[in-house]
Amino acid sequence: MRSRLLKLVLAGAAGAAAGLTAGLARRRPTPQERERKRRLDVNARGRTGNAILLDYRDAVFSYTYDVHSIEHIATQDICALLPLLPADPSTLVGRPAIIKYLASNPANSIVVCEDWSGLLFQPQPASPELNSRA
């Protein structure tokens, strides 16, 4: 009886150790993964507003917008989203845009994400050569 109890205790301890090891081995999200999650969250829960694009440098947009008569100036790193943008995103500087922001924290805003874009530009039509191959 005693050896059976000892075996159960040892088995439980081994299981707990294995669970702890697996928990420690679980990787933390990278900064890029955290930023992607933030963008998608703002897109899913955010309110929209009007903005003006102020600057574009090193794959970062700077923009300004008002929420309840409070002016916000924000930036968004769009490095991961460059394939969704025109070839030269700096051509959008000075133009209006739509932003999404969280009502609980209006400073948490985006102008573009994987599933949505508030950048007002016309995508370039596919060349006739590409259409004829389809």
Side-chain angles (χ1 to χ4, degrees):
M1 177 84 163
R2 210 169 194 192
S3 67
R4 187 175 185 197
L5 180 62
L6 181 59
K7 286 179 184 178
L8 286 173
V9 168
L10 289 175
L20 181 61
T21 302
L24 292 175
R26 195 175 306 135
R27 67 179 186 88
R28 291 182 164 200
T30 65
Q32 292 83 6
E33 291 168 331
R34 286 195 311 269
E35 173 59 13
R36 180 178 182 276
K37 184 178 182 216
R38 181 194 74 83
R39 285 191 306 263
L40 294 173
D41 182 53
V42 172
N43 179 47
R45 299 184 312 124
R47 294 183 179 177
T48 59
N50 296 316
I52 298 291
L53 298 173
L54 300 174
D55 195 17
Y56 175 78
R57 288 188 191 157
D58 301 323
V60 175
F61 270 122
S62 299
Y63 53 98
T64 183
Y65 60 100
D66 289 345
V67 176
H68 303 297
S69 299
I70 298 173
E71 181 181 17
H72 297 270
I73 297 175
T75 60
Q76 182 182 351
D77 182 340
I78 57 160
C79 190
L81 305 169
L82 287 175
L84 305 174
L85 301 177
D88 184 6
S90 67
T91 61
L92 301 174
V93 171
R95 296 180 63 188
I98 307 296
I99 53 116
K100 284 194 177 183
Y101 65 92
L102 294 181
S104 60
N105 181 7
N108 189 357
S109 63
I110 60 171
V111 291
V112 65
C113 76
E114 291 76 359
D115 299 333
W116 173 84
S117 176
L119 301 173
L120 307 175
F121 70 96
Q122 294 295 323
Q124 294 298 319
S127 70
E129 292 174 356
L130 291 176
N131 291 335
S132 64
R133 292 181 191 170

